[in-house]
Amino acid sequence: MTLPYDDFAPAVLAPQAPRVAPERLLEGLNPQQRAAVVHEGSPLLVVAGAGSGKTKVLTTRIAYLLAARGVQPGEVLAITFTNKAAGEMKERVAALVGGRARMMWVSTFHSACVRILRAEAKKLGFTTTFSIYDQADAQRLMTLVCRDLDLDPKRFPARSMSNQVSDLKNELVDWETARDQADNVVQKQVAEVYATYQARLREANAMDFDDLIMTTVDLLRVFPDVAEHYRRRFRHVLVDEYQDTNHAQYTLVRLLSTPTGDLPAAELCVVGDADQSIYAFRGADIRNINDFEVDFPQSQVVLLEQNYRSTQTILSAANAVIARNPERKDKRLWTDAGDGERIVGYVADNEHDEAAFVAGEVDRLLDEEGIKHSDVAVFYRTNAQSRVFEEVFVRVGLPYRVVGGVRFYERKEVRDALAYLRVLANPADTVSLRRILNTPRRGIGDRAEACIEAFASRERIGFAAAIRRCDEVPGMAARSAKAVTEFADLMDELRSLVDGNMPPAEVLEAVLDRTGYLAELAASTDPQDESRVENLAELVGVAREFSERVPDGGVPAFLEQVSLVADADTVPGEGDGVVTLMTLHAAKGLEYPAVFLTGLEDGVFPHLRTLGDERELQEERRLAYVGITRARQRLYLSRSHMRSAWGQTSYNPPSRFLDEVPDVLVDWRRSESSIAAPTPALTTVTSRVIGTARGRTAGPGLRPIPALEVGDRVNHDAFGLGTVTATRGAGDSTQAEVDFGAGTGAKWLLLRYAPLEKL
């Protein structure tokens, strides 16, 4: 809806609500909270520790502005990150100030920007009815752009292009600047894609989500009259979760609170906690909150350390862990609620033992301590770790739900992999066949699929049989027909493995390798694709475990077992709700009476890819801090002595975060495993990914290991020519570091799996 300037006039936006005495609003606040509410004048940073009542401070400050300082509702802009948080804030403000809350802008960054852009659309060459493309729309458009530019989908995947363009927009880099700054082939190609993508958006009278903020920033910069209008309108700008802002959001906040002519700066109040900054992978910049006092030299800082959520034992553990991060503002959470129960620690033999311990302890809490299912949360670092908890919970009858991701067997990559196995086991499975026909992309588009379907209908044969006769299909392009033939030949080759009763894990590995599915994910820059690779590793582990239990069981038997487990997944919880399973990233902002923080092993949590990067390790530690501070009364910390990935066992040392929790706070139910660890294996999920083939090569584990020495010249299917710069390991764990030159650089490759040829 278009919002003309007149609709913003404060006089129009001030229906009277019952007056609230300012002092009544301050009742029940501690001294620091009170200071944050009554502060006026200079910019204010409220450093709000976990559970310290930051939402209460924000909503009370807004009500106090109206009650004590005569501020009009229309002069207030309050920004948060999620629609849920914005809705809750509106409700709480309305409870304090009545109907006048409707006249305030309490919204997400994106919602506020849409409102501004609708009002100013004509200045930008858009109509007020411009479309907003969600992630799926934007991805489809990017795929069309890459196809029209005739880009190699293996070298320039559409998803990777989308992510890189998104990163540029979040840094406020337009396509012209990206083109001018490009200094290699990849960057130049990204700039060309960016330019074409933006042209297509404009042709469609559309913007994507990143455009909403970037275009609003451009609007305020290019049109001084518009900037002045909104600065006069919004005299009080409040921002929640400031530690999660990216560069574009930071710039928008600065532009809206900048003085203009005779107009002083708006009063700016930001609330956040650098210790809970965990979204760098989404573009969040911790410097925005750490450098607030540098950016706003006259600013004041209020520290909220009193916690109203957790016991002192839990807070002491959180304080001890986060204190290991350097260059942070000193903050120590405390509570007057007492010490509470000690933290429970448990060392499991493996991930199944760990899940069984969690399930057993949940049962005990339900039976002996009056805890409800909905009071319990199980946290883990990556989505793939949910699988073993799901299976154990199904087996023992514990109702649960997975938050922050779909259930393991419903995840796209898992369903795609299982669809391949179903077609290999049952060629007549048309639904599964059509799912994988162009997955990963192999040049068999919707038109080709429609031609095959029409031919099958005309000839009264199955879809699979029609594929075999693709050279007879009318209207099909020669290129598509060739791709269909190659797909059919590949499926014949893979089906011979099933017919030969090869173990399911080996068939699955061959499918992921020979189809290029794993290679496409491994080549992606999308952080979600890293999680998808881990889910596929978990699925291989499931298949390996099946073969250990049923040595003679082939692919059909494995699929039957998976179907039964997946079907049991769909049974809803009853009674007192369900146990919540979620990643640590999804847990932000939540709290539970009982929390299980699992997988505390170096290489799992902290994640393997962060171990060599101090900056990323600091973010992992903040993630641990977030996880610990979700617990109100009971906290459990557990790790596995060994765990499986890609069907192989890895022995990871205890997480450094466990060592950072004082022993006096922990009651170790089991402090060590009964299994002795061999020399730690080098074969891990990440080394498998690094060595994954980007093209068609022998299946994983079937490739001969080349004998390489420093200085040898090699050729890689995806990275091209390179020089060996170092080697390590022996046998199946032999690795080589290869320098592939500009654009790719040096990479460690696990030679058993790398598509590498010695020259």
Side-chain angles (χ1 to χ4, degrees):
M1 181 179 67
T2 303
L3 297 172
Y5 284 166
D6 289 348
D7 286 353
F8 291 149
V12 179
L13 299 175
Q16 294 300 308
R19 292 288 177 183
V20 181
E23 284 304 314
R24 282 194 58 196
L25 291 172
L26 302 178
E27 291 176 1
L29 300 180
N30 66 41
Q32 291 73 32
Q33 291 174 329
R34 184 184 181 112
V37 168
V38 304
H39 173 83
E40 60 181 276
S42 60
L44 173 66
L45 167 61
V46 181
V47 179
S52 62
K54 71 178 179 65
T55 305
K56 181 177 183 180
V57 166
L58 268 175
T59 53
T60 306
R61 178 172 173 81
I62 293 171
Y64 191 81
L65 289 174
L66 274 60
R69 298 176 56 189
V71 172
Q72 298 293 336
E75 296 177 314
V76 175
L77 171 64
I79 301 176
T80 186
F81 270 80
T82 67
N83 291 315
K84 180 174 181 289
E88 290 175 353
M89 191 178 294
K90 284 180 185 176
E91 290 179 5
R92 293 176 71 162
V93 171
L96 295 174
V97 304
R100 291 185 296 167
R102 292 195 301 270
M103 307 305 169
M104 301 175 185
W105 280 29
V106 182
S107 67
T108 64
F109 272 102
H110 291 106
S111 296
C113 288
V114 168
R115 204 165 170 181
I116 292 171
L117 291 172
R118 296 275 188 219
E120 313 296 341
K122 291 181 181 178
K123 282 186 167 63
L124 300 166
F126 289 84
T127 72
T128 57
T129 58
F130 66 82
S131 298
I132 300 170
Y133 280 8
D134 63 17
Q135 187 174 13
D137 296 327
Q139 184 66 54
R140 278 193 292 270
L141 177 59
M142 182 61 76
T143 300
L144 291 173
V145 167
C146 291
R147 186 182 303 163
D148 290 349
L149 292 176
D150 200 26
L151 298 183
D152 180 352
K154 292 182 179 178
R155 190 176 182 193
F156 300 105
R159 182 179 285 122
S160 174
M161 294 291 103
S162 288
N163 290 328
Q164 293 182 70
V165 168
S166 177
D167 290 344
L168 288 167
K169 290 182 178 182
N170 288 334
E171 289 298 319
L172 298 176
V173 177
D174 58 28
W175 70 264
E176 293 101 335
T177 305
R179 177 196 59 196
D180 295 342
Q181 293 179 347
D183 58 9
N184 61 48
V185 172
V186 173
Q187 291 176 2
K188 289 176 182 176
Q189 190 62 74
V190 169
E192 182 184 4
V193 168
Y194 187 179
T196 308
Y197 175 77
Q198 289 305 108
R200 295 287 181 83
L201 280 172
R202 183 166 284 276
E203 288 170 9
N205 188 39
M207 299 184 199
D208 65 20
F209 268 84
D210 298 315
D211 284 325
L212 297 177
I213 297 175
M214 182 176 181
T215 307
T216 303
V217 168
D218 290 342
L219 174 76
L220 299 178
R221 284 173 166 171
V222 173
F223 297 98
D225 60 321
V226 176
E228 181 175 353
H229 168 75
Y230 287 100
R231 288 168 187 158
R232 289 189 182 279
R233 163 69 198 260
F234 300 125
R235 303 308 302 142
H236 296 272
V237 178
L238 303 95
V239 185
D240 192 13
E241 303 286 9
Y242 192 66
Q243 78 280 349
D244 293 336
T245 53
N246 61 30
H247 178 66
Q249 293 160 339
Y250 161 82
T251 303
L252 177 64
V253 170
R254 292 217 65 169
L255 285 169
L256 288 172
S257 56
T258 296
T260 301
D262 63 342
L263 187 70
E267 274 196 28
L268 176 63
C269 171
V270 304
V271 181
D273 181 7
D275 289 339
Q276 297 185 69
S277 178
I278 60 173
Y279 295 124
F281 67 95
R282 294 182 187 168
D285 191 342
I286 195 173
R287 292 175 301 180
N288 293 346
I289 191 167
N290 283 343
D291 295 347
F292 186 84
E293 293 164 86
V294 176
D295 296 335
F296 301 93
Q298 305 303 315
S299 61
Q300 298 292 312
V301 178
V302 173
L303 197 59
L304 304 183
E305 296 176 291
Q306 185 173 358
N307 177 282
Y308 295 91
R309 174 189 300 156
S310 307
T311 65
Q312 188 59 55
T313 295
I314 292 169
L315 297 180
S316 295
N319 289 335
V321 170
I322 199 63
R324 300 296 185 100
N325 268 3
E327 301 174 6
R328 58 177 287 272
K329 293 180 185 297
D330 186 42
K331 179 173 83 276
R332 296 192 64 79
L333 298 177
W334 63 275
T335 181
D336 56 13
D339 289 340
E341 300 283 344
R342 290 173 73 192
I343 297 165
V344 173
Y346 186 83
V347 178
D349 288 342
N350 53 45
E351 66 266 36
H352 300 280
D353 179 27
E354 182 180 35
F357 165 73
V358 171
E361 193 61 20
V362 171
D363 261 341
R364 191 190 68 77
L365 291 173
L366 295 169
D367 293 342
E368 299 178 11
E369 300 194 16
I371 293 285
K372 297 180 295 186
H373 291 95
S374 56
D375 292 336
V376 181
V378 179
F379 298 155
Y380 35 79
R381 178 60 180 83
T382 65
N383 274 313
Q385 291 168 255
S386 78
R387 193 271 308 175
V388 68
F389 290 105
E390 293 182 63
E391 292 196 349
V392 169
F393 281 23
V394 166
R395 191 162 63 243
V396 303
L398 273 178
Y400 72 93
R401 64 179 175 134
V402 177
V403 175
V406 295
R407 293 171 183 263
F408 181 81
Y409 289 108
E410 295 172 3
R411 292 167 188 158
K412 179 185 182 300
E413 60 277 11
V414 174
R415 292 173 68 89
D416 288 344
L418 292 174
Y420 269 102
L421 295 186
R422 290 192 177 100
V423 173
L424 295 179
N426 176 20
D429 186 343
T430 300
V431 171
S432 295
L433 176 59
R434 296 186 68 164
R435 180 184 183 96
I436 63 174
L437 183 62
N438 198 40
T439 302
R441 292 179 295 277
R442 49 175 64 93
I444 308 172
D446 293 342
R447 185 176 182 280
E449 184 176 347
C451 289
I452 296 170
E453 182 179 26
F455 179 75
S457 177
R458 190 188 75 188
E459 297 292 316
R460 298 185 179 182
I461 59 177
F463 193 86
I467 283 178
R468 297 287 172 193
R469 296 169 56 185
C470 65
D471 57 333
E472 302 174 38
V473 175
M476 181 178 290
R479 183 178 177 183
S480 297
K482 181 175 183 291
V484 171
T485 300
E486 290 176 349
F487 169 73
D489 291 341
L490 173 61
M491 296 302 288
D492 283 344
E493 195 177 313
L494 291 170
R495 189 168 291 114
S496 68
L497 304 181
V498 177
D499 293 342
N501 206 35
M502 183 176 280
E506 294 184 31
V507 176
L508 181 56
E509 286 186 317
V511 164
L512 296 175
D513 192 15
R514 294 299 310 279
T515 62
Y517 192 101
L518 189 60
E520 184 173 87
L521 294 180
S524 171
T525 60
D526 185 346
Q528 292 184 9
D529 282 345
E530 181 180 35
S531 177
R532 293 183 177 106
V533 170
E534 291 167 345
N535 289 334
L536 292 173
E538 185 72 9
L539 185 61
V540 172
V542 174
R544 191 81 68 192
E545 291 166 10
F546 170 80
S547 293
E548 291 171 359
R549 293 196 309 272
V550 188
D552 296 327
V555 168
F558 171 65
L559 288 170
E560 180 180 338
Q561 179 212 262
V562 167
S563 297
L564 292 173
V565 172
D567 184 61
D569 273 354
T570 63
V571 178
E574 299 176 357
D576 291 326
V578 294
V579 176
T580 302
L581 308 180
M582 69 176 76
T583 65
L584 283 155
H585 282 101
K588 179 100 180 311
L590 303 175
E591 60 182 71
Y592 295 88
V595 164
F596 291 81
L597 184 47
T598 66
L600 281 161
E601 303 130 44
D602 268 10
V604 178
F605 185 39
H607 197 283
L608 184 68
R609 63 171 163 72
T610 71
L611 296 183
D613 187 314
E614 182 56 34
R615 181 180 58 81
E616 291 197 6
L617 264 176
Q618 290 178 28
E619 176 135 337
E620 291 286 290
R621 187 173 281 109
R622 293 193 291 270
L623 195 55
Y625 173 82
V626 166
I628 292 170
T629 55
R630 300 309 94 194
R632 284 160 49 185
Q633 295 146 16
R634 305 298 302 262
L635 175 64
Y636 294 80
L637 306 177
S638 64
R639 70 175 179 90
S640 294
H641 176 68
M642 62 182 187
R643 85 176 48 237
S644 299
W646 294 107
Q648 299 196 24
T649 300
S650 62
Y651 297 82
N652 298 314
S655 170
R656 61 199 66 198
F657 305 147
L658 272 180
D659 295 337
E660 293 165 3
V661 176
D663 285 339
V664 69
L665 302 177
V666 184
D667 171 19
W668 285 99
R669 297 278 179 85
R670 192 173 190 236
S671 59
E672 60 184 38
S673 169
S674 60
I675 302 172
T679 302
L682 287 174
T683 304
T684 63
V685 170
T686 298
S687 56
R688 165 88 53 155
V689 172
I690 291 172
T692 294
R694 263 67 172 181
R696 292 190 174 182
T697 58
L702 305 178
R703 188 178 294 110
I705 301 173
L708 297 180
E709 298 179 355
V710 174
D712 283 348
R713 293 283 289 166
V714 295
N715 183 65
H716 187 281
D717 284 2
F719 304 137
L721 297 175
T723 303
V724 177
T725 54
T727 61
R728 66 188 181 196
D732 287 354
S733 296
T734 304
Q735 294 177 295
E737 184 184 46
V738 181
D739 186 353
F740 293 102
T744 302
K747 291 183 176 292
W748 278 100
L749 305 176
L750 190 62
L751 299 184
R752 180 68 179 266
Y753 303 98
L756 204 64
E757 179 185 4
K758 181 178 177 180
L759 301 179

